[in-house]
Amino acid sequence: MTRPDPDRQPEGTSVLSGPRHFAATDGRELTVGGVRWRYTRLGSGPPVLRLTGGLRRAALGFAFLEQLAAHNTVGAPDYPPVRSFADLDTGLSAILRAEGIDRCDLGQAGHAAVLLEPGAYMQWVEQALA
């Protein structure tokens, strides 16, 4: 008797069923300046804001986010179409405020490194708060 391969998608199910379920379970929405921001929030513990990669959808990394949430409060936004770094900052800051988070660690995946290298987002926040 052969065992099912745990790394293969069960026959007859969508490869997106996991991310869809995750987004439906842990997803939240917030409108900021007319822009709808979708994000996930899960777990408890020290807060981590995780910026996703080039696919722009946090739920696609659901397995990693669930593991991170075992010991952390995790917020992970999708990226709506915004026109400037200031718009991105406004949306991310609104998510943190809505969740009652005033300090957090910042993590990234994929192209989000552009925002963090070398600490661009944190420099932007420091200047905005000055």
Side-chain angles (χ1 to χ4, degrees), residues 1 12 17 19 25 28 34 38 40 49 62 64 68 71 74 79 81 86-87 90-91 94 96 104 106 112-113 118 126:
M1 180 170 143
S17 62
T25 303
R28 298 181 180 197
R38 294 180 179 168
T40 58
L49 177 64
F62 73 95
F64 174 78
L68 186 59
H71 302 285
V74 178
Y79 298 129
D87 291 342
T90 299
L96 293 174
C104 67
L106 193 56
E126 288 173 8

Side-chain angles (χ1 to χ4, degrees), residues 44-107:
S44 62
V48 176
L49 177 64
R50 179 142 193 298
L51 302 178
T52 191
L55 294 176
R56 300 181 20 217
R57 300 292 178 250
L60 294 175
F62 73 95
F64 174 78
L65 295 174
E66 287 175 338
Q67 289 180 1
L68 186 59
H71 302 285
N72 296 277
T73 298
V74 178
D78 291 350
Y79 298 129
V82 294
R83 297 183 180 263
S84 69
F85 196 79
D87 291 342
L88 178 68
D89 172 59
T90 299
L92 295 176
S93 295
I95 289 169
L96 293 174
R97 278 192 305 276
E99 295 300 327
I101 297 171
D102 59 358
R103 282 186 82 96
C104 67
D105 288 331
L106 193 56

